[in-house]
Amino acid sequence: MSDERIDYVNENITLVQNKNGLTFGTDAYLLYAYLRKMSKGMVADLGAGTGIISLLAAAKGKFSQIYAFEIQESFASLIERNVSENGFSDKIKIVCTPVQNIESDLFGRFDCVFSNPPYMKKGSGFLNANSEKYIARHEVCGDIKDFCEAASKLLKYSGSFYVVWRPDRLSDLFDAMRTSKIEPKRMTVVYPDAKSRPSLVLVEGKRGAASGLYFTKPLIMHPDASAKPLAYTDDLTYIYENGEFGEEYERA
């Protein structure tokens, strides 16, 4: 189709993407790499988009069973195609529904939930001409409180929640997590380079855990974010080569 493109990305994934929608980026890959590997259990991807994080996790063998929840029918259809194309139909189940309407029979069954949710407030920023992209970027169909509440309902007690988020809205994330009884336990702040302000935060929380947040060392992605060609730091190179963060980013 003329509005689609096919990319070949990490872990030998063939990814069909909509040119007018959100495409695979650094935030999605870093969240995938931040996920700890589990030998068994069920996990959920809230706001799955093209399904790229679920696909990468399945290819790496991080999880055995993934539920990919996506509100937009066009994206849910895209996930189904990507899952089938990459041979993961037995590992990834697609559910087209708002996070607020997830069936209650799934509550309390998941060991892990992860999300790259819409991170801009409704009405803020540039209004995308394409509504699919606007919905994916902005809190139109659900805000961070809705995503955290859904995660809490799905998680078993002490289950893990992973999210990638904007530094300038970190207080909104922590408020939503604690309101939903998910306690922030590990955080990594991501910088384009050592001279720049942070561009992302990665947070791991636990449902029902006691307070106590572990800050890892920061992730600095480039020696110089303005340089051409763009070079990677050793830490980012390791992440891209291994699909995981190094030991120094684990909890002490």
Side-chain angles (χ1 to χ4, degrees), residues 146-167:
D146 294 314
F147 278 79
C148 288
E149 183 178 354
S152 182
K153 289 177 178 177
L154 291 170
L155 284 170
K156 297 176 181 177
Y157 186 81
S158 77
S160 299
F161 175 58
Y162 297 88
V163 62
V164 59
W165 193 243
R166 285 172 50 138

Side-chain angles (χ1 to χ4, degrees), residues 31-77:
L31 179 59
Y32 146 71
Y34 209 61
L35 303 173
R36 301 180 195 267
K37 187 174 182 179
M38 292 169 43
S39 59
K40 59 181 179 179
M42 290 170 51
V43 303
D45 181 355
L46 297 182
T50 60
I52 183 57
I53 302 175
S54 291
L55 290 165
L56 289 167
K60 189 69 172 179
K62 289 196 173 187
F63 310 119
S64 58
Q65 186 65 54
I66 304 169
Y67 279 65
F69 295 94
E70 172 55 46
I71 188 174
Q72 298 192 68
E73 291 184 4
S74 58
F75 276 105
S77 177

Side-chain angles (χ1 to χ4, degrees), residues 36-186:
R36 301 180 195 267
K37 187 174 182 179
M38 292 169 43
S39 59
K40 59 181 179 179
M42 290 170 51
V43 303
D45 181 355
L46 297 182
T50 60
I52 183 57
I53 302 175
S54 291
L55 290 165
L56 289 167
K60 189 69 172 179
K62 289 196 173 187
F63 310 119
S64 58
Q65 186 65 54
I66 304 169
Y67 279 65
F69 295 94
E70 172 55 46
I71 188 174
Q72 298 192 68
E73 291 184 4
S74 58
F75 276 105
S77 177
L78 201 59
I79 298 170
E80 188 170 4
R81 290 169 58 193
N82 283 324
V83 167
S84 176
E85 174 69 24
N86 289 281
F88 295 126
S89 297
D90 60 331
K91 291 187 176 182
I92 302 175
K93 177 181 176 62
I94 302 97
V95 183
C96 186
T97 185
V99 295
Q100 302 93 324
N101 295 346
I102 294 174
E103 295 291 337
S104 60
D105 62 352
L106 293 174
F107 292 176
R109 296 178 56 189
F110 290 81
D111 299 277
C112 167
V113 175
F114 56 88
S115 183
N116 181 6
Y119 51 79
M120 297 182 71
K121 291 184 178 181
K122 184 179 179 181
S124 67
F126 177 73
L127 178 60
N128 301 114
N130 180 271
S131 61
E132 291 179 346
K133 183 180 289 188
Y134 188 79
I135 290 171
R137 287 183 183 272
H138 295 76
E139 296 175 323
V140 176
C141 299
D143 60 19
I144 190 59
K145 290 184 178 180
D146 294 314
F147 278 79
C148 288
E149 183 178 354
S152 182
K153 289 177 178 177
L154 291 170
L155 284 170
K156 297 176 181 177
Y157 186 81
S158 77
S160 299
F161 175 58
Y162 297 88
V163 62
V164 59
W165 193 243
R166 285 172 50 138
D168 61 323
R169 295 196 62 201
L170 187 58
S171 60
D172 293 334
L173 173 63
F174 281 178
D175 178 64
M177 290 177 69
R178 280 194 149 176
T179 298
S180 301
K181 297 181 173 58
I182 299 174
E183 186 65 27
K185 299 300 292 181
R186 178 175 64 126

